Amino acid sequence: MQRRIRRRYGAERRFRMLGLAAVVLSAGFLAVLLVTMLMNGASGFLQTRIALPIDFPRAGLMLDPARLHGPGADLALAGAGIERATGAAAISAFGKNGDQWLSDGAWLSVRETVKHNPAILRGRSIVWVPAADTIDVAVKRQGDPAAEAIVATLQARGAISTGFNLPFLTASDSNDPTRAGIWGAFKGSLFTMLVTLLIAFPIGVLSALYLEEYATRNRWTDLIEVSINNLAAVPSIIFGLLGLAVFLGTFGMPRSASIVGGLTLALMTMPVIVIAGRNAIKAVPPSIRDAALGVGASPIQVVFHHVLPLALPGILTGTIIGMARALGETAPLLMIGMRAFIASPPAKLTDPATVLPVQIFLWSDQIDRGFVEKTSAAIIVLLVFLLAMNGFAIYLRNKFETRW
C-alpha cells in the first residue's frame, strides 16, 4: 500500500513538473519572439535626419511668398523647383555627392517647411531632412565603411540626429524605406475588419440562436452542423479562391478593395462564431428558460431577454478569436488582389487597399536593408493592434458578466 501511494504521489509530482515545464517553454518561445521583434523593429520607429543649410534667395525658387497664404499654396509649391534647389544645396554643403546623402523624399520636408513658414524664403536657413537609407542604416547599426565615414563627417559637424519616425505611422507604402509607412495598411485593416465584423457577427449569432433554440433535430440540421464544423477547419486560401470566384468573378466587385477583403474574411470567420455561439448558448442553464416562461415571457423574449445576454460573454470570446485569426490572414487576401502597391490610404470601402499582414509580406520580400527594420516595426504594430482587440473583447465580456 505504501509503495502504491508513493508511486501515485510520484506520478502526480512528475505531471505537475511536466505541466510547469510546458508553461515555461511556451513563455520562453513567446519571450524570444517579442524580444526579437523589439530588437529588430525598435529602430524602425526612429529616423535619421541631416541638417541641410539652404540659401533660399540664391536657390532660384520660382515662388512668391504671398501665394503661400491661401488655398493655392500647394499649386504654387508644385512648380517652384524645390527638388532641384534641395539637391543643389546638398552638393554645395557636402560636396559633389552630397545629394546622395539625402533621402529621395528630402525635398518634401523642405516643401513642408516652406509651406508652414514662408518667412524663411527671405534668407538662409537650416532644414532638417531625412537621410538616405545607407546613412540611416549606418547610424542605427553597422553599415558599409563609406557610409560610416559619411556619418562620422556629419557627426563632427553636428549635422546629423536621430528622432522619432512620425512618417512611419502617418505615411503609406513607398519604394524608399525612409518614406515608407504603415498608415495606409493600418487603415485598410480597419476597413476590412469593420466589414468582417458587421457581416460575420450578426449572421453568426443569429445562426447559432436558430440552430440551438428553434431548429428541429433531423438529418438536415445534422448536415448543416457537420458542414459548419468542416468549414471552420477549411484552409484559409480556399476562402480566397471562393472570394475570387464569387465577389470578383461573378459580382464584378472592385479588385483589392476593403469591402471584398471583408466579405472574404467574413465567410472564413462565420463558422467560428457559429460554433462559439452555440456552445455559449448551450451553457445557459435550462432553469433560466423555464423561469422566464413561467412568468409569462414569450419564446422570443426568453431568447433575446434572457438567453442571449447570458451567452453574450462566450459569444464575444469566440468572435474575437475569429477576428484575430482574420486579422493575421494573408493567403485569402492575396488571392483577391490585396497585394497591390498602395501609395495613398483608402478613403472608402471600395478604394484599393492593403492590410498589415500583406504589407509585412511585401516588405519582407524587399532586398533593401532599410525594409528589414520596417518589417519588424510593422509586426510590432500588428501585435499591438491584436492586443488592443483582445483587451476590448475582455472589457466587453467582463462588463456583461458583471451586469448579469
Side-chain angles (χ1 to χ4, degrees), residues 44-49 103 105 108-109 112 128-131 163-174 176-185 343 345 363 374:
F45 295 96
L46 300 176
Q47 183 182 54
T48 303
R49 299 180 180 90
S103 166
L108 296 174
S109 298
E112 291 301 314
W128 288 91
V129 299
F164 182 69
N165 188 7
L166 183 61
F168 177 72
L169 300 178
T170 59
S172 296
D173 197 9
S174 174
D176 182 6
T178 62
R179 298 170 56 190
I182 51 93
W183 173 240
W363 282 350
K374 293 295 187 296

Side-chain angles (χ1 to χ4, degrees), residues 45-386:
F45 295 96
L46 300 176
Q47 183 182 54
T48 303
R49 299 180 180 90
I50 295 176
L52 178 64
I54 303 179
D55 190 348
F56 286 98
R58 299 180 58 183
L61 296 178
M62 297 176 291
L63 188 61
D64 183 6
R67 296 183 59 189
L68 299 180
H69 300 281
D74 292 334
L75 183 61
L77 289 168
I82 293 180
E83 184 174 4
R84 172 189 52 78
T86 302
I91 293 174
S92 176
F94 307 125
K96 63 178 182 178
N97 294 324
D99 57 336
Q100 300 178 11
W101 298 8
L102 309 182
S103 166
D104 292 339
W107 68 277
L108 296 174
S109 298
V110 178
R111 186 183 68 176
E112 291 301 314
T113 303
V114 171
K115 181 179 178 180
H116 290 93
N117 185 20
I120 66 173
L121 292 173
R122 301 189 181 95
R124 180 184 177 89
S125 298
I126 294 179
V127 181
W128 288 91
V129 299
D133 179 45
T134 53
I135 306 298
D136 186 58
V137 171
V139 170
K140 295 175 181 177
R141 53 185 180 270
Q142 185 176 5
D144 58 84
E148 291 181 356
I150 294 173
V151 170
T153 301
L154 292 172
Q155 288 175 340
R157 298 172 58 173
I160 192 170
S161 67
T162 302
F164 182 69
N165 188 7
L166 183 61
F168 177 72
L169 300 178
T170 59
S172 296
D173 197 9
S174 174
N175 292 323
D176 182 6
T178 62
R179 298 170 56 190
I182 51 93
W183 173 240
F186 185 81
K187 193 173 181 181
S189 294
L190 287 177
F191 282 174
T192 303
M193 289 298 101
L194 178 63
V195 175
T196 302
L197 182 63
L198 291 179
I199 294 175
F201 182 73
I203 296 178
V205 173
L206 292 176
S207 300
L209 284 173
Y210 176 79
L211 290 173
E212 201 61 37
E213 297 291 332
Y214 297 104
T216 57
R217 298 299 177 217
N218 53 41
R219 72 175 72 182
W220 294 111
T221 54
D222 292 341
L223 179 61
I224 291 173
E225 291 178 5
V226 171
S227 300
I228 291 174
N229 292 330
N230 288 334
L231 283 175
V234 169
S236 59
I237 195 170
I238 304 301
F239 291 99
L241 292 171
L242 179 62
L244 177 64
V246 176
F247 301 127
L248 298 182
T250 303
F251 295 107
M253 300 182 74
R255 191 177 184 86
S256 186
S258 298
I259 188 170
V260 179
L263 289 170
T264 303
L265 294 180
L267 295 176
M268 185 187 71
T269 307
M270 237 182 294
V272 178
I273 298 177
V274 173
I275 294 173
R278 294 192 63 193
N279 291 332
I281 293 169
K282 285 180 182 178
V284 177
S287 58
I288 298 293
R289 299 175 176 84
D290 297 337
L293 291 171
V295 297
S298 65
I300 194 170
Q301 287 176 327
V302 172
V303 170
F304 286 96
H305 293 178
H306 301 277
V307 175
L308 182 59
L310 284 174
L312 199 55
I315 294 174
L316 289 176
T317 301
T319 300
I320 203 63
I321 291 174
M323 294 294 293
R325 178 192 174 193
L327 178 63
E329 284 296 340
T330 304
L333 301 181
L334 293 177
M335 295 302 300
I336 62 172
M338 291 190 74
R339 60 164 297 162
F341 179 83
I342 307 298
S344 59
K348 52 184 183 295
L349 297 178
T350 55
D351 287 347
T354 187
V355 293
L356 280 172
V358 176
Q359 188 69 78
I360 293 170
F361 169 76
L362 294 176
W363 282 350
S364 66
D365 201 36
Q366 297 285 339
I367 61 174
D368 200 315
R369 293 178 60 187
F371 280 108
V372 175
E373 62 182 16
K374 293 295 187 296
T375 302
S376 299
I379 292 175
I380 294 174
V381 174
L382 180 61
L383 291 176
V384 172
F385 192 6
L386 181 60

Side-chain angles (χ1 to χ4, degrees), residues 29-39 380 383:
F29 282 130
L30 179 60
V32 170
L33 170 65
L34 294 178
V35 170
T36 302
M37 290 300 100
L38 288 174
M39 290 181 61
I380 294 174
L383 291 176

